[in-house]
């Protein structure tokens, strides 16, 4: 039996409920974050909390609990579910609005499911297809995935595994991952109007004597110069990108730089 936490009270999954007056249902108003646990340890908790609290601030959602209370609530849920390797999504809703428009006291929902990052994806990679779209409130991790879900048929029709957004030719991000490309002696990731992922932040901190890792404005044209590309997220760690819009990246295989960074990330996670 899986348990879900609502406002720090634990419920059996089939008994967990919120009212239909919540702004998350009425208007799709809310934020969330997602972290993973490995062997019972929460990975990069402080980074996820930083983003969560910042997202709440940007959407004017009041939080009346401390980080310590949030952390304890997550560990209580973990203890009840006894799922050492998992993904935990914590959602802060707009609350029970009297008029279906005004922000009320938020509800905090925490959901834990068994999860392990694929150990083979580093060798198989992914293909992407680009699409001109700019997410609103891009620096906030909102529950709005309207465009990404709407584009699922488009992604499949193009033989891709996910979509890579660009805004008038300037690369942005995937709906659930950040994008990197390798060009000459640089490892670049878009810096403008994106959600700055936790895993992305870890990669930017890595040191490499042969490559400069940095944020940059990247264009669709720049992709023609890419020798490698990869995406990063909590659910993927580092995943090679083999082709974009049907055009092969490098030799069409996971590259040595990508694999090196992947190994560094695995070591960093193991130290948590």
């Amino acid at each position: 039996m899986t348990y879900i936490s609502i406002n720090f009270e634990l419920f059996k999954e089939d008994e967990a409920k919120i009212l239909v007056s919540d702004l998350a249902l009425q208007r799709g108003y809310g934020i969330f974050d997602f972290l993973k646990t490995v062997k019972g340890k929460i990975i990069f908790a402080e980074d996820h909390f930083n983003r969560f609290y910042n997202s709440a601030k940007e959407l004017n959602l009041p939080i009346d609990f401390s980080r310590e209370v949030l952390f304890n609530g997550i560990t209580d849920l973990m203890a009840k579910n006894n799922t050492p390797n998992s993904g935990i999504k914590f959602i802060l809703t707009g609350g029970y609005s009297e008029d279906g428009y005004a922000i009320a006291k938020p509800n905090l929902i925490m959901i834990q499911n068994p999860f392990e990052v694929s150990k083979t994806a580093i060798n198989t990679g992914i293909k992407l297809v680009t699409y001109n779209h700019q997410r609103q409130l891009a620096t906030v991790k909102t529950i709005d995935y309207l465009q990404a879900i709407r584009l699922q048929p488009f992604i499949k029709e193009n033989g891709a595994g996910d979509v890579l957004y660009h805004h008038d030719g300037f690369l942005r991000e995937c709906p659930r991952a950040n994008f990197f490309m390798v060009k000459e002696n640089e490892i670049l990731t878009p810096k403008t109007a994106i959600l700055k992922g936790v895993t992305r932040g870890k990669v930017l901190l890595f040191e490499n004597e042969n490559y400069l890792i940095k944020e940059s404005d990247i264009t669709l044209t720049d992709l023609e110069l890419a020798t490698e590309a990869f995406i990063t997220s909590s659910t993927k760690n580092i995943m090679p990108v083999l082709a974009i819009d049907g055009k092969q990246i490098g030799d069409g295989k996971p590259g040595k730089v990508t694999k090196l960074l992947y190994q560094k990330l695995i070591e960093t996670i193991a130290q948590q």
Side-chain angles (χ1 to χ4, degrees), residues 126-179:
I126 191 172
K127 297 178 181 179
L128 302 177
V129 60
T130 61
Y131 192 86
N132 191 2
H133 173 66
Q134 174 61 64
R135 292 193 310 107
Q136 66 171 336
L137 301 173
T139 61
V140 180
K141 197 167 180 66
T142 72
I143 61 174
D144 175 14
Y145 278 69
L146 190 113
Q147 183 70 294
I149 295 171
R150 187 185 77 86
L151 289 175
Q152 291 303 303
F154 170 78
I155 295 169
K156 292 178 181 178
E157 288 166 5
N158 283 273
D162 208 346
V163 62
L164 173 61
Y165 295 140
H166 69 90
H167 184 58
D168 295 337
F170 285 91
L171 295 187
R172 294 295 188 247
E173 60 200 332
C174 297
R176 297 176 296 173
N178 290 114
F179 179 79

Side-chain angles (χ1 to χ4, degrees), residues 210-238:
N210 297 317
Y211 294 89
L212 176 64
I213 307 175
K214 68 176 187 177
E215 299 173 297
S216 179
D217 287 323
I218 307 171
T219 67
L220 285 170
T221 303
D222 291 329
L223 290 177
E224 299 174 6
L225 304 174
T227 54
E228 295 181 39
F230 58 90
I231 56 176
T232 64
S233 74
S234 295
T235 58
K236 298 175 180 66
N237 284 339
I238 289 177

Side-chain angles (χ1 to χ4, degrees), residues 120-126 182 227-230 238-243 248-260 262:
T120 61
I122 185 62
N123 298 314
T124 57
I126 191 172
V182 181
T227 54
E228 295 181 39
F230 58 90
I238 289 177
M239 180 181 287
V241 175
L242 308 184
Q248 183 175 289
I249 300 293
D251 61 4
K253 300 177 182 179
K256 62 179 183 179
V257 177
T258 301
K259 289 185 175 181
L260 178 63
Y262 170 83

Side-chain angles (χ1 to χ4, degrees), residues 14 24 36 56 85 89 104 125 144 146 162:
D14 59 357
K36 61 176 178 270
N85 298 319
K89 177 182 285 187
D144 175 14
L146 190 113
D162 208 346

